[in-house]
Amino acid sequence: MPVPRTRHVCTMAAALALALAGPSTATAAPAATAASLQQSAGDLREVMFVGNNWDGTADVIESRGDFARIGRINVIPDKDERLKEIYLDPIKLIYFLGVRQGPGEGHDQFVDDMYSTPDGSAVVVSRPSFADVVSIDLATGRINWRFPVSGYRSDHMAVSPDGTRVAVSASTANTVHVLDINTGKQLGSFATGDKPHENVFTDGGRYLWNMSIGEVTTALDDPWLDWTKGDRRITVVDANTFEQVRVIDMRERLDAFGRKDLSDAVRPVAFTPDESKLYFQVSFFNGFVEYDVASDKITRVKTLPKNPATSEDRTAWVNDSRHHGMSMNPQGTKLCIAGTMDDYATIVDRAKLQEGPLVAASKPYWATVSGDGKSCVISESGADQVAAIDFATGRKVVSVPVGDHPQRVRLGHVAAGWTGPSGG
């Protein structure tokens, strides 16, 4: 397995580790870059898609500047058809109601993740409550294709750096599907740990990492009951053959670092630009972990401030999260952290692991880098808005109203002059 030319290590094990690392589609914009290479600037407009989970809509906003809203997409135009299908199948209905009462906090989950196609003609959306992925035509608002995932719930996605493939977690089936983004045809799939969550393409799209978080909807949240949460691990596969390349059990690494108290359920992640380090959040923790890929060791753990108003009852935290959402600026010098249950976001200096001002935010659920790389854009799911925080100053620069319970925010493209689907 070749080692990228930008790195040099002495051992075969270290070379393997470095070859597996890569820039995270969760924190950068490879799909947007691929799209801009395929279309002239006059054909496409860079935007951000904001998934309003409980609405079943996606707001499209400017990717920089004032982040003004451009248009809105209905991502459940087939709602009546899907509900009829669910209510006629007792097993599907049980899971549908389970999603509502569990991860949905009493609401149906209609949009978890979304990416636009390279030509800006469609947006591909995972819909947890409908256990599928759909492609929505951005001109008409109609569904181009639909892919039902294995099991009964779809979750986080990732798009390959060239923008042609999309990976989606089927959380109740412990499976990741990889689809052709234009046709919805399955190109392959692979098995994961329990409850696959975040997906990341690395090494220019050569590898695909999946982080499984285990069971997060039970009340068995005391540390001594951690064993009930299932098999939580990072699964790395070859993105072309879908054969398993490596499995990383963070339990062993955390224990070796002296942090047996931390959960090993890896949540949102961010790679450094040189692909040497992985930063990740874990369940129940107000902070994050630094993992050195070459040495296969945890090197630092950062604890962030607690909000005194936040209940210490872990069963009250949404889906075992305390902090959920992180991104890194393009230079790799700053991290943006969404302190979900602590109602703030903050910019952290990566070298010193020193946080900046705590920016008040209502249940921030995600963090994405703006199109110009100057801001971190967080979704405030408790206030139905997104906010931009300046990486340089750590201060909030703007807030923009969106739909009900925004979660994932992704960079993408639409056609120049687009303001919404003609039939939406």
Side-chain angles (χ1 to χ4, degrees):
M1 188 175 296
V3 181
R5 291 190 296 271
T6 56
R7 307 178 215 139
H8 174 73
V9 290
C10 300
T11 69
M12 185 178 298
L16 171 63
L18 282 173
L20 288 176
S24 168
T25 58
T27 57
T33 302
S36 63
L37 291 173
Q38 295 184 33
Q39 296 284 337
S40 69
D43 293 330
L44 294 175
R45 178 183 192 178
E46 184 187 70
V47 296
M48 281 185 152
F49 291 88
V50 181
N52 303 311
N53 195 9
W54 298 349
D55 259 1
T57 62
D59 280 311
V60 181
I61 65 175
E62 297 282 5
S63 65
R64 61 189 74 192
D66 62 2
F67 299 92
R69 189 163 76 90
I70 298 166
R72 175 171 287 181
I73 308 157
N74 173 19
V75 302
I76 50 171
D78 57 340
K79 180 180 178 181
D80 290 345
E81 181 182 356
R82 299 278 77 81
L83 289 177
K84 180 180 179 181
E85 178 183 84
I86 289 167
Y87 277 92
L88 289 175
D89 185 320
I91 303 300
K92 287 184 178 180
L93 180 59
I94 289 170
Y95 276 94
F96 177 79
L97 296 175
V99 170
R100 177 185 293 172
Q101 296 306 318
E105 303 174 65
H107 301 263
D108 296 324
Q109 293 192 308
F110 290 130
V111 48
D112 186 276
D113 216 341
M114 70 250 108
Y115 287 98
S116 60
T117 55
D119 63 3
S121 67
V123 61
V124 176
V125 182
S126 61
R127 308 188 300 182
S129 287
F130 291 162
D132 65 10
V133 182
V134 293
S135 171
I136 305 290
D137 187 295
L138 287 169
T140 66
R142 299 189 182 98
I143 293 177
N144 294 318
W145 54 257
R146 174 176 180 260
F147 180 87
V149 302
S150 300
Y152 301 95
R153 186 177 182 273
S154 55
D155 199 45
H156 285 234
M157 298 198 300
V159 71
S160 59
D162 64 3
T164 63
R165 295 169 291 160
V166 61
V168 58
S169 289
S171 57
T172 67
N174 297 347
T175 298
V176 169
H177 302 280
V178 181
L179 313 176
D180 182 298
I181 201 169
N182 292 306
T183 67
K185 179 183 178 181
Q186 178 170 272
L187 303 175
S189 65
F190 61 93
T192 67
D194 291 331
K195 298 297 189 295
H197 190 58
E198 186 78 339
N199 293 294
V200 181
F201 280 95
T202 66
D203 199 17
R206 185 176 181 183
Y207 299 103
L208 179 55
W209 296 48
N210 174 265
M211 293 71 176
S212 61
I213 60 172
E215 183 54 65
V216 298
T217 58
T218 70
L220 305 177
D221 293 343
D222 285 345
W224 73 274
L225 292 171
D226 187 68
W227 60 273
T228 68
K229 296 293 184 176
D231 176 18
R232 294 156 297 179
R233 54 188 166 92
I234 297 176
T235 302
V236 186
V237 301
D238 183 298
N240 294 308
T241 66
F242 309 106
E243 294 180 358
Q244 188 178 102
V245 175
R246 186 180 179 194
V247 172
I248 304 171
D249 181 358
M250 283 299 176
R251 176 76 278 141
E252 299 171 3
R253 281 81 176 163
L254 287 165
D255 290 354
F257 189 76
R259 293 307 300 264
K260 294 184 178 181
D261 59 308
L262 292 183
S263 168
D264 61 347
V266 177
R267 312 299 288 254
V269 304
F271 278 98
T272 52
D274 68 0
E275 309 176 0
S276 64
K277 287 182 170 58
L278 174 70
Y279 293 84
F280 61 90
Q281 295 164 313
V282 298
S283 292
F284 305 116
F285 182 51
N286 49 299
F288 58 88
V289 179
E290 178 187 79
Y291 170 75
D292 185 84
V293 180
S295 65
D296 189 25
K297 293 180 180 179
I298 288 169
T299 46
R300 293 189 291 178
V301 173
K302 171 63 177 179
T303 301
L304 287 167
K306 294 181 177 181
N307 184 339
T310 299
S311 169
E312 288 300 320
D313 177 8
R314 288 156 64 116
T315 65
W317 301 347
V318 177
N319 299 324
D320 291 0
S321 298
R322 180 142 192 172
H323 288 186
H324 188 282
M326 68 189 309
S327 62
M328 187 181 297
N329 68 338
Q331 297 78 23
T333 58
K334 302 285 183 68
L335 284 159
C336 177
I337 304 298
T340 309
M341 301 311 301
D342 287 307
D343 288 333
Y344 70 75
T346 188
I347 304 298
V348 178
D349 180 277
R350 191 174 71 84
K352 300 177 181 178
L353 292 192
Q354 179 59 51
E355 70 270 15
L358 303 185
V359 178
S362 182
K363 203 172 78 168
Y365 222 102
W366 198 248
T368 302
V369 179
S370 62
D372 58 10
K374 295 180 180 180
S375 301
C376 170
V377 179
I378 61 169
S379 58
E380 293 192 60
S381 61
D384 296 342
Q385 64 183 20
V386 294
I389 300 171
D390 185 80
F391 272 115
T393 66
R395 304 290 181 180
K396 182 168 74 172
V397 293
V398 68
S399 296
V400 178
V402 291
D404 192 8
H405 207 267
Q407 290 187 202
R408 223 69 59 230
V409 182
R410 300 292 192 187
L411 274 170
H413 286 84
V414 297
W418 183 91
T419 56
S422 59

